[in-house]
Amino acid sequence: KAAQDGCPVTDPAAMARAFDAFEGPYQLDPAEALRWSRDQLPVFYSPKLGYWVVSRYDDIKAVFRDGILFSPRNVLEKVTPATPEAMEVLKSYGYAMNRTMVNEDEPAHMERRRALMDHFIPANLEHHQEMVRRLTREKMDAFIDQGRVDLVEAMLYEVPLNVALHFLGVPEDEIAVLRTFSVAHSVNTWGKPTDDQQIAVAHDVGRFWEYAGKIIEKMKAEPEGTGWMHETIRKNAEMPDVVTDSYVHSMMMAIIVAAHETTSLASVNMFKTLLSNREAWDDICADPSLIPNAVEECLRYAGSIVAWRRQTTAPTTLNGVDLPEGAKLLIVQASGNQDERHFEDGDKFDIYRDNAVDHLTFGYGSHQCMGKNIGRMEMRIFLEEFTRRLPHLRLAEQAFTYLPNTSFRGPDHLWVEWDPALNPEREHL
Ligand code: HEM
């Protein structure tokens, strides 16, 4: 009876109507915000968003698994459609963001993915470790005697950005402007800008698009250049039907965000989660061999991509719910990652969990994140360095803020404190 009473707290139909992806509980803790859905209405239509929301682990995995019925073509579509004025602004920059890798249908996608896979295989990632460690140490050297720092400003924004640019072979000269661009791209794609904000965001996105075009020209002038985007440009010349011009330009813009923002936010979430669970932090400080699984558990419990999208190409049913052709789906990995049907006590953080690696934060199936091992490597090295040099680190008192959007999640700042007089390496000097 309670389930049908129209009460916004107990009636699932009312909860579905009230679901808001841009404010309130979903912004703070998407898994907790959808607990009611996992338990009562695992596939529901959100009229506010215009999407079907999918919250259970098995359903999300089933959607990821079938890339034909559940096309990724809407993955980079604007969740909030552009106003006519914003469209005009974008047009004035020649903005033509189209298919990259992540939103390409088969069979074009697989052909492209295979052609561009080489740089991502673990053996070819090894040599990036040294750079990650060096950059981490340099940043830590700069603040280790301060006793208090915002980890985002001090390193977790910049190190993943430098690593991403290095991996891609993109010149590292305009880091500050890239920050504005990345935020604009996220708001433009996954956010809910007001009509006025749409204009400002459209200008930044337009400039980002122009900038991506210029980088491509610059890189074309260095045919021997190293890095994945150089490889992409060479493949574009070799097989222009597979690695198309439109792909190269769109990807140049999208990959900077895909490679960098994802990893920065995941690292911020990781420190926040571990420092909020002191026992786990103390355990990895005492035994660094626990770090790789702790990284997976952080990705499961507090991943940086909390939801992704798909669109049906034919009428179908998902967990008993009829979906029409063209239905837009918001598949909430953060919710699936805490689904107790797959993860025992899924809402508990446990670095000893033996199936933590089953999380869906990197997606699943044919589009699964190509850069997952780069993200993991960075997160592991950050922890290796911090647990050794700052085991007495603690979270400072603070209120966390987030960029309102459906998919990218991590606090804007993360203030931490410690007593520099107790730094272990200092004592050993
Ligand atoms: C795809 C998450 C780091 C490159 C994806 C997808 C997700 C994701 C959810 C879509 C998967 C799907 O549709 O099944 C993440 C997270 C990261 C991360 C959480 C960090 C913690 C990176 C890095 C790179 C990268 C560092 C590159 C250097 C890509 C590419 C794809 C992708 C190229 C498209 C794959 C395809 O469609 O075949 N990522 N990513 N990602 N990611 Fe990542």
Side-chain angles (χ1 to χ4, degrees):
K1 181 175 156 283
Q4 304 293 324
D5 60 8
C7 163
V9 191
T10 50
D11 175 5
M15 296 292 278
R17 280 195 299 279
F19 175 74
D20 195 317
F22 300 102
E23 53 187 53
Y26 180 82
Q27 284 304 314
L28 296 175
D29 185 347
E32 185 54 35
L34 286 172
R35 181 188 291 275
W36 68 272
S37 162
R38 289 195 296 282
D39 290 344
Q40 303 178 63
L41 199 60
V43 180
F44 70 89
Y45 184 73
S46 160
K48 283 192 186 177
L49 192 61
Y51 280 70
W52 295 84
V53 179
V54 184
S55 62
R56 274 195 196 163
Y57 183 89
D58 284 346
D59 296 337
I60 296 168
K61 206 163 172 175
V63 170
F64 271 129
R65 192 181 281 131
D66 189 343
I68 307 296
L69 186 54
F70 299 103
S71 161
R73 65 179 59 146
N74 66 339
V75 154
L76 297 178
E77 212 171 84
K78 282 163 72 60
V79 171
T80 307
T83 57
E85 292 79 11
M87 299 248 260
E88 279 306 311
V89 172
L90 287 170
K91 225 168 91 190
S92 72
Y93 289 91
Y95 179 71
M97 179 69 153
N98 200 346
R99 299 301 175 99
T100 62
M101 182 82 78
V102 78
N103 59 349
E104 182 61 283
D105 280 314
E106 303 304 347
H109 162 256
M110 238 341 151
E111 237 183 311
R112 196 173 285 164
R113 182 169 164 125
R114 282 203 193 98
L116 296 170
M117 193 53 166
D118 213 41
H119 282 236
F120 288 99
I121 59 171
N124 292 339
L125 293 178
E126 279 288 308
H127 69 279
H128 294 287
Q129 293 208 52
E130 205 186 300
M131 180 192 184
V132 178
R133 203 172 295 280
R134 178 174 53 77
L135 290 175
T136 308
R137 286 185 177 166
E138 282 170 12
K139 291 288 181 196
M140 289 184 81
D141 290 344
F143 63 66
I144 196 141
D145 288 330
Q146 283 176 20
R148 180 179 160 87
V149 85
D150 171 7
L151 277 183
V152 178
E153 289 298 326
M155 65 168 281
L156 293 180
Y157 188 82
E158 223 169 286
V159 175
L161 180 55
N162 278 312
V163 174
L165 296 180
H166 179 75
F167 173 80
L168 300 171
V170 169
E172 293 178 17
D173 44 5
E174 294 193 60
I175 284 197
V177 76
L178 281 178
R179 185 165 202 172
T180 315
F181 288 167
S182 298
V183 171
H185 178 58
S186 297
V187 173
N188 184 53
T189 313
W190 295 283
K192 194 184 178 186
T194 60
D195 287 2
D196 284 349
Q197 284 166 342
Q198 289 245 19
I199 302 286
V201 164
H203 277 292
D204 282 336
V205 170
R207 283 195 274 268
F208 195 1
W209 178 257
E210 275 184 348
Y211 174 79
K214 283 194 194 121
I215 297 177
I216 293 167
E217 290 314 313
K218 222 170 170 178
M219 290 173 78
K220 278 187 177 163
E222 290 171 46
E224 304 301 318
T226 55
W228 190 59
M229 283 309 291
H230 273 293
E231 175 71 2
T232 299
I233 289 167
R234 284 191 288 270
K235 289 274 191 242
N236 170 239
E238 268 171 44
M239 37 168 77
D241 296 339
V242 175
V243 180
T244 60
D245 290 346
S246 157
Y247 163 80
V248 175
H249 198 151
S250 299
M251 192 53 157
M252 181 56 93
M253 186 170 147
I255 191 66
I256 292 174
V257 177
H260 151 240
E261 201 87 4
T262 50
T263 314
S264 272
L265 295 174
S267 305
V268 185
N269 289 339
M270 172 176 77
F271 278 102
K272 176 173 181 279
T273 306
L274 281 165
L275 294 174
S276 310
N277 290 271
R278 193 74 210 180
E279 226 173 279
W281 175 262
D282 289 343
D283 283 2
I284 61 169
C285 289
D287 179 0
S289 72
L290 298 170
I291 288 176
N293 204 56
V295 167
E296 293 309 323
E297 177 65 353
C298 288
L299 285 164
R300 180 193 75 85
Y301 186 80
S304 50
I305 300 289
V306 297
W308 214 233
R309 285 180 284 169
R310 289 293 188 261
Q311 187 161 18
T312 56
T313 52
T316 186
T317 2
L318 183 62
N319 201 345
V321 175
D322 290 333
L323 300 174
E325 178 181 342
K328 294 176 174 189
L329 269 53
L330 186 79
I331 45 179
V332 187
Q333 295 117 295
S335 170
N337 284 348
Q338 295 199 18
D339 186 350
E340 60 214 27
R341 291 154 201 83
H342 189 86
F343 298 102
E344 202 181 329
D345 292 328
D347 59 357
K348 300 272 177 318
F349 179 70
D350 174 9
I351 58 166
Y352 298 95
R353 187 181 291 282
D354 58 13
N355 65 348
V357 72
D358 288 357
H359 66 76
L360 299 168
T361 300
F362 292 122
Y364 180 78
S366 59
H367 282 272
Q368 199 191 39
C369 179
M370 288 169 86
K372 61 185 179 181
N373 291 322
I374 306 176
R376 284 174 166 142
M377 175 207 293
E378 291 186 55
M379 293 168 76
R380 171 177 58 75
I381 292 174
F382 294 159
L383 286 186
E384 285 169 0
E385 294 298 315
F386 271 78
T387 50
R388 189 170 51 80
R389 295 179 74 186
L390 287 174
H392 49 317
L393 196 69
R394 55 181 188 272
L395 272 187
E397 275 286 314
Q398 65 202 294
F400 296 105
T401 57
Y402 297 82
L403 182 76
N405 76 97
T406 55
S407 300
F408 280 66
R409 195 70 80 258
D412 299 321
H413 302 282
L414 189 73
W415 285 96
V416 290
E417 294 170 338
W418 66 98
D419 180 352
L422 299 178
N423 288 359
E425 291 193 356
R426 197 142 292 273
E427 282 180 357
H428 292 305
L429 282 178

